[in-house]
Amino acid sequence: MVKKTGSIVIKEDGKVIDGWDVTGDITVEANNVTIRNTRVRGQDDYWGILQRAGFSGLKVEDSEIFGNGKQRTQFGILNQGKMITVRRVDIHTISNGILTDQGLVEDSYVHDPKYYSEDHTDMIMSTGTAATGTELIIRHNTVINTLDQTGAIALFQDFGVTRNVTVEGNLLAGGGWTLYAGAGRKGLSSNIKVIDNVFSRRVWPKGGYAGPVSYWDANGPGNVWRGNTWESSGASVSAAG
C-alpha cells in the first residue's frame, strides 16, 4: 500500500485512489472520484473521507476507515455533496460512521463506535431530505452500535423532512434505539421503506437500550414496514417498538 500522511484534497474529476494507507483524511472536491482498497486512519475532530458540497459521484469501496480511539474522529464518511456509493467498507472506532442524505450504502460493516463527551453517536445517519430526484438506500449491511445512544441507523429531521429512504436486509443492533425511523417535527415522513431487516439483541436485551425502533410515521404516504424480525427467534418486530 502507498503510505500517505496529512490532509489530502482531491480536485481531479474521475480520480481513482487505489491501495493507499492514509494517516489523516481525504477531502473530495471533484466529481466521480473512486476510493478503493484503501485504509484511512482519521485525524482528531475531522473525518476519514469527505465529499464537499457541490460535488457528486464519490465511490468508496473495499476499504477501512477508523479512528485511533484516543482523539475523536467525528465521521468515518461525511457526504455534504450529492450522490455517493459506499460498498464493502469497514468503519469503526469513530463517533459517527456515515452521514449522507442520499446515495447507496451496501454490504458494509459499521460498528464499535467510540464515545467522547457530549457526542451523539450513530452508525449510519441522515439529517435531512434526499436531494431532488435521488433517494437513500441502506441495504445488506451489518450495523452495530455498542453504546446506549444514539442509533444504529438514524433518520433524523434536523434540516428537513425525511423522504425516499429504503432500509432493507440489514442486521441491526444497539444504540439507544436501534432505528430512528424518520419521524420528526418538520413534517410527515414519506416513502420510507423498512423491509426484511434483522434486529439483534446481542448488544442490549431490547435491541437498542430503549428498544428496536422509534420515530416511525405509520401514516406517512408510501411508508412501508414489512418483514422485520428478531435475530434470536424470527418473531416479527413491530414498528411500534
Side-chain angles (χ1 to χ4, degrees):
M1 301 183 77
V2 179
K3 292 188 179 297
K4 302 279 186 177
T5 302
S7 295
I8 299 163
V9 181
I10 306 300
K11 295 190 175 184
E12 178 186 344
D13 286 353
K15 174 78 172 179
V16 177
I17 294 170
D18 194 339
W20 284 13
D21 188 346
V22 178
T23 300
D25 55 83
I26 301 173
T27 297
V28 176
E29 298 178 0
N31 294 308
N32 302 318
V33 171
T34 298
I35 300 171
R36 63 189 181 212
N37 302 318
T38 289
R39 181 183 296 122
V40 180
R41 299 172 175 85
Q43 296 190 100
D44 182 25
D45 269 342
Y46 281 82
W47 46 83
I49 298 172
L50 164 66
Q51 178 173 247
R52 289 278 192 198
F55 301 99
S56 186
L58 174 63
K59 292 183 180 179
V60 184
E61 300 176 327
D62 301 299
S63 295
E64 182 183 15
I65 304 165
F66 56 99
N68 64 18
K70 298 176 182 179
Q71 299 167 308
R72 184 180 74 160
T73 299
Q74 189 172 5
F75 297 98
I77 298 174
L78 172 58
N79 180 30
Q80 297 174 336
K82 197 172 181 182
M83 294 303 294
I84 188 171
T85 298
V86 179
R87 181 180 289 123
R88 298 183 301 274
V89 177
D90 182 355
I91 301 175
H92 59 90
T93 323
I94 37 66
S95 293
N96 298 283
I98 300 167
L99 172 56
T100 184
D101 292 334
Q102 58 272 324
L104 171 64
V105 180
E106 69 176 358
D107 298 326
S108 293
Y109 184 27
V110 192
H111 61 105
D112 294 285
K114 178 72 176 179
Y115 177 75
Y116 298 91
S117 179
E118 299 183 0
D119 273 354
H120 288 252
T121 305
D122 299 282
M123 298 294 86
I124 301 176
M125 174 172 48
S126 168
T127 57
T129 309
T132 301
T134 73
E135 60 184 331
L136 174 59
I137 299 174
I138 303 168
R139 68 185 179 201
H140 303 162
N141 304 284
T142 297
V143 188
I144 300 177
N145 184 343
T146 46
L147 303 177
D148 60 5
Q149 64 84 26
T150 306
I153 294 178
L155 309 178
F156 292 142
Q157 291 198 13
D158 293 352
F159 305 108
V161 178
T162 307
R163 300 189 182 102
N164 303 327
V165 181
T166 298
V167 178
E168 183 174 10
N170 303 281
L171 175 64
L172 307 175
W177 297 93
T178 302
L179 172 65
Y180 285 78
R185 292 177 293 179
K186 293 189 180 295
L188 192 65
S189 68
S190 61
N191 198 28
I192 312 299
K193 298 178 174 63
V194 183
I195 299 169
D196 294 338
N197 298 282
V198 175
F199 288 76
S200 174
R201 304 182 192 272
R202 64 180 67 186
V203 177
W204 303 112
K206 296 179 181 179
Y209 185 80
V213 57
S214 186
Y215 288 81
W216 171 252
D217 275 330
N219 297 318
N223 288 356
V224 176
W225 182 279
R226 185 178 73 236
N228 302 295
T229 59
W230 286 108
E231 179 186 35
S232 54
S233 65
S236 294
V237 176
S238 168

